[in-house]
Amino acid sequence: ALKQDVRFFNAHAEYKWPNKLEVTVKEREPALYVANAYNGYIMVDYKGTIMSVTNSIPDAKAPLLTGEKCGNAFVGDDVANERVDGILRFLMSINSEARRQIAELMMDNDKNVKLQLRNGLLLRLGRAESMPDKAPLFNTVFNEIKDKNIQAEYIDLQFKKPYIKLKPELMKVKKT
């Protein structure tokens, strides 16, 4: 019965001697909020299983993905969307500290994804389907910038080497 409960990723029950029942459960972790049909939102775990369907986003347990919809979805279903699947595989591949710092993921009309960290820094990642390949580069860049106060407009990770676009006010040279 526990294995059928959508709240649990895994459940195991075992009898031990003498007269002891040991139950071990692993809860699902929310990975992403995505819009669905009927102006609602779904909360998805890292494997793509829909954990809940709501009219609004009740908490900040997971980042929001804007620009993509998952259609009519029900609790317990798996997400059938390649772009959302690519984003979930990316999120699984990055370190947990970086995951906690992601505030929002935005997909534009060309299906390119931008990621905004909680400190306001914007990172361009490229096509949603190719995002899992960007995870090692993202981890490296995240570890470099986490303790630094980088005044950048954005960081572009679509290329082999990251490109940092500084804020315009930092690029102005004072004339004396």
Side-chain angles (χ1 to χ4, degrees):
L2 288 173
K3 286 184 178 183
Q4 303 304 318
D5 193 327
V6 75
R7 295 174 294 176
F8 303 122
F9 180 71
N10 195 0
H12 179 73
E14 182 179 357
Y15 284 109
K16 295 206 174 189
W17 192 83
N19 303 328
K20 183 178 177 185
L21 175 64
E22 189 174 289
V23 179
T24 308
V25 294
K26 182 177 179 188
E27 291 185 70
R28 291 186 189 276
E29 291 182 52
L32 199 59
Y33 282 105
V34 185
N36 72 341
Y38 312 115
N39 296 323
Y41 294 91
I42 58 173
M43 183 171 52
V44 182
D45 77 346
Y46 291 99
K47 294 290 185 182
T49 302
I50 298 170
M51 297 173 61
S52 69
V53 180
T54 60
N55 292 335
S56 63
I57 299 172
D59 53 37
K61 290 180 182 176
L64 171 65
L65 171 63
T66 58
E68 186 70 16
K69 288 192 176 188
C70 282
N72 195 10
F74 298 98
V75 173
D77 289 349
D78 288 331
V79 172
N81 183 312
E82 285 182 40
R83 292 177 292 275
V84 173
D85 184 55
I87 291 170
L88 290 172
R89 286 185 291 131
F90 168 79
L91 290 172
M92 276 188 357
S93 300
I94 62 175
N95 65 52
S96 60
E97 183 182 2
R99 269 188 248 144
R100 287 190 300 272
Q101 293 303 314
I102 298 172
E104 183 178 3
L105 294 126
M106 299 147 287
M107 190 177 304
D108 63 18
N109 292 335
D110 294 329
K111 305 306 177 195
N112 289 314
V113 178
K114 296 175 193 165
L115 179 147
Q116 186 165 14
L117 297 177
R118 294 190 187 277
N119 65 5
L121 187 60
L122 187 70
L123 290 100
R124 294 181 177 179
L125 298 171
R127 307 269 309 158
E129 297 86 359
S130 66
M131 281 184 61
D133 301 333
K134 302 287 181 180
L137 180 59
F138 177 84
N139 280 329
T140 302
V141 169
F142 180 80
N143 288 333
E144 287 292 321
I145 66 171
K146 69 181 175 184
D147 297 327
K148 299 176 183 172
N149 186 17
I150 294 182
Q151 298 297 315
E153 197 170 310
Y154 64 86
I155 298 176
D156 198 332
L157 302 180
Q158 296 179 74
F159 310 105
K160 286 186 180 182
K161 291 188 178 183
Y163 171 75
I164 299 174
K165 167 78 168 147
L166 296 175
K167 289 184 178 178
E169 58 267 13
L170 295 176
M171 295 172 53
K172 294 178 183 176
V173 179
K174 290 184 179 181
K175 294 181 181 180
T176 54

